[in-house]
Amino acid sequence: MARVIHVFRAPDRFIAGTVGQPGDRTFYLQASEQSRLISVALEKQQVQVLAERIGSLLEEVHRRFGTDVPDDAPPDDVDTQPLDVPVEEEFRVGTMGLGWDAESKAVVVELLAISEEEVDEAVVLDDTEEGPDAVRVFLSPAAARAFAERADRVVNAGRKPCPLCAEPLDPDGHICPRQNGYRRTEED
């Protein structure tokens, strides 16, 4: 079956968001352009790594090419709206690719579906016929910075960490290894 690549060259939105309660959230990346909307599911750590790597890429692009890159996204550029509904998962992300398109001066984010076979690096950021389905999004440096800032907020909006062991605290507490197995709650 032929590979499907959803390309968003000028997205209206590209955001990270969640569905569910802290401790039981599903993370999504959502891209929309005009009437097209794609949502892909991924792990919290993938969202966190993508945000960090976008920041690193922007710094490298500024250093190497002298491209104007904002240090912080203007508050008006950071999308604070919820995910568009209905949130229908196109696929679960397995591999992510990140690059710089010098011609269009854009950050390129590619999200590839989990596949049974090992993904060849040649299919990432390429239009080959074979390989997993993908979503490819082109972002201006300012939009990329805004995406990374929102992604950080989404990741950090979960459960508070235990002050002793840094594990997430559930609303009814958790068994803290630093307390010899005694239950610790948010009020403790």
Side-chain angles (χ1 to χ4, degrees):
M1 189 158 124
R3 176 181 192 204
V4 177
I5 302 174
H6 304 276
V7 179
F8 293 84
R9 291 208 173 268
D12 300 322
R13 290 180 88 193
F14 181 60
I15 59 169
T18 62
V19 173
Q21 296 299 316
D24 191 29
R25 298 186 295 171
T26 302
F27 286 78
Y28 292 94
L29 294 182
Q30 197 173 68
S32 64
E33 186 174 40
Q34 296 171 0
S35 63
R36 293 188 315 143
L37 175 69
I38 295 284
S39 302
V40 294
L42 68 171
E43 298 297 323
K44 176 181 180 178
Q45 292 79 8
Q46 288 174 298
V47 175
Q48 189 171 21
V49 167
L50 183 59
E52 290 168 4
R53 297 285 162 84
I54 285 175
S56 298
L57 176 69
L58 289 172
E59 290 169 18
E60 183 70 16
V61 163
H62 176 68
R63 188 181 65 73
R64 273 194 185 176
F65 306 113
T67 303
D68 188 28
V69 174
D71 291 332
D72 295 309
D76 294 344
D77 287 358
V78 180
D79 189 332
T80 58
Q81 296 301 310
L83 294 170
D84 290 328
V85 291
V87 178
E88 296 175 354
E89 180 181 317
E90 186 73 19
F91 58 78
R92 184 160 281 282
V93 175
T95 303
M96 299 186 297
L98 189 60
W100 175 252
D101 182 12
E103 187 177 307
S104 63
K105 294 190 182 325
V107 172
V108 183
V109 177
E110 185 159 290
L111 310 162
L112 284 77
I114 291 176
S115 67
E116 306 270 322
E117 301 88 41
E118 190 167 324
V119 176
D120 181 11
E121 286 183 24
V123 301
V124 181
L125 299 173
D126 196 14
D127 292 334
T128 59
E129 291 282 326
E130 297 299 316
D133 289 353
V135 172
R136 187 177 299 150
V137 182
F138 291 76
L139 300 170
S140 69
R145 184 71 76 191
F147 168 84
E149 286 186 21
R150 177 184 169 126
D152 282 338
R153 287 184 192 161
V154 168
V155 166
N156 294 321
R159 298 173 288 173
K160 294 179 186 174
C162 172
L164 297 176
C165 70
E167 291 294 317
L169 281 171
D170 290 323
D172 57 340
H174 80 125
I175 298 175
C176 181
R178 301 279 310 268
Q179 290 279 317
N180 276 343
Y182 287 99
R183 184 166 291 282
R184 183 162 184 82
T185 62
E186 288 184 19
E187 291 86 43
D188 291 344

